[in-house]
Amino acid sequence: MRPSRKLLDIQRNILGELDPALPGTLTTESLTDLRMVMGFIAASWPRSRYLLDADLVDAVNSYFQASKKSPADRHYRVSLMNTAPADAVVCGALIGVADSLLFATNSRQRIMSLFEVSFDTHDSRMSWFRFYDRHKNTCSQQLREILKPLVNATPATADRFVPRGPGFAPHHVPAFLEQDWHERFIRPACIPLDERLVRRCAAIQLVRRAARCDTREAALLLGIPVDKVPRGIDDDRFWIGAKDAPTDFRIAVDEVALHLGENIDQLPDYQRRRDVLRNWVLPPSDWLEVTAQLPRIIGKQPVLDDRKRQVASIFIWTRVTGGEHLFAPRPLEQTQPQHIQRAWAARRPTTWYQLVGRPDPGPHYAALRRLLGEYADDLINRVDAGALSPIE
């Protein structure tokens, strides 16, 4: 079997790194990284087979099967982790995958997912800890960062992947997972649920970890109606048709939790913001001040009534509290007669889409979006500075 052009390029890079003129530490780190990830992939077999090109799977699988001392041998994965394959095709295949995995944009996510489903016993996880401990001083800082969530699982809890204390408190968690956190940590896992539901459930899971409480208590802390939390989110049966989704979701939440713990000094007190704005609505005087700055429209003028003020208030509330707009307080709407409330509720999705969802909302809504965003930023500063108290 002829090696691919990509593998030949990797071989040339490895030979280049063996140049005596290069710093020895750099060469050691690079080769150790490859060796560690190769061992990880080998020990994860057959879970890791999807990483290989289709024409290499059979050769690698045959080699690994032949490594078993008997069909019931459960320890052959340890030897695979500690011994580089003697077969050139298998070794080349693992080097190619290891190189791709090391430089993938979502390498940590992919390794975490593979770890959770492959090292599913106490013995296998202890073997991995020993393997890491043997090489941790000679691998690169980049790989140590990638493996940090796994390292934070102590050997004493190796039979159940639980990072050490989360390092953040419930008040550090927004009720609707920040969009940036979702894009960085959750979306790469390809969870087969609506994004809104995933962000809501991820926030609940983070509070559960920080407060050591159940799902219902976490939802109440976040101000999420209990009947809006899907039943069975902690039950694998909830994810029917997507057997890897529960693991992928838990690992993605682990990633977010690690990020929060590492950046705790930069996290706002979302609970205080929720308390201050619990029954909040944009004051009429502020609404007039905001709308006075809108551009003049030729022709039919946009409606700027209390119904739109209520939607504007929801927009600001979501920006300040990090909450989900569906659960924002609507005190202005609730004072209206029932038929008016129904009319407002019927029109709310359309106005919300114009204000938030539409990429080309037109000059009126584009300007209103910008002005309300500026108002929200100012309100954040006042709430965080303690200039506003909760409204009872």
Side-chain angles (χ1 to χ4, degrees), residues 250-283:
R250 285 192 289 269
I251 292 173
V253 174
D254 288 337
E255 284 278 84
V256 181
L258 181 66
H259 173 75
L260 297 188
E262 292 176 340
N263 296 276
I264 190 169
D265 293 338
Q266 302 172 31
L267 300 176
D269 187 339
Y270 287 102
Q271 186 60 54
R272 174 174 174 75
R273 294 181 183 181
R274 288 192 287 267
D275 289 342
V276 172
L277 271 65
R278 185 166 55 247
N279 297 304
W280 184 85
V281 67
L282 183 61

Side-chain angles (χ1 to χ4, degrees), residues 47-174:
R47 296 282 190 173
S48 55
R49 63 188 301 151
Y50 74 94
L51 296 169
L52 274 71
D53 292 337
D55 59 338
L56 294 172
V57 170
D58 287 343
V60 174
N61 188 59
S62 296
Y63 179 87
F64 287 160
Q65 291 301 315
S67 300
K68 287 186 176 184
K69 295 179 181 178
S70 69
D73 182 11
R74 295 184 178 181
H75 303 288
Y76 80 104
R77 292 202 308 176
V78 176
S79 62
L80 292 177
M81 190 160 29
N82 289 289
T83 305
D87 186 284
V89 173
V90 176
C91 190
L94 294 185
I95 287 176
V97 174
D99 183 79
S100 299
L101 201 54
L102 277 169
F103 295 100
T105 55
N106 60 342
S107 56
R108 177 186 284 180
Q109 181 69 42
R110 295 172 72 179
I111 288 176
M112 292 275 286
S113 300
L114 203 53
F115 182 88
E116 185 70 12
V117 298
S118 301
F119 295 82
D120 52 357
T121 66
H122 178 81
D123 288 345
S124 66
R125 294 190 180 210
M126 288 299 293
S127 297
W128 185 89
F129 281 115
R130 287 191 287 269
F131 175 71
Y132 174 81
D133 193 62
R134 188 178 302 117
H135 298 288
K136 66 183 180 182
N137 293 325
T138 52
C139 70
S140 69
Q141 180 62 34
Q142 174 198 354
L143 185 57
R144 284 194 289 271
E145 285 296 319
I146 291 173
L147 298 177
K148 185 181 290 185
L150 305 185
V151 178
N152 283 347
T154 64
T157 59
D159 57 332
R160 186 166 180 264
F161 176 51
V162 181
R164 295 176 185 145
F168 61 92
H171 66 263
H172 291 128
V173 181

Side-chain angles (χ1 to χ4, degrees), residues 204 215-220 223-231 327:
I204 290 171
T215 299
R216 182 178 183 278
E217 292 169 328
L220 292 174
I224 299 174
V226 176
D227 63 346
K228 298 302 180 182
V229 180
R231 291 185 177 182
F327 310 135

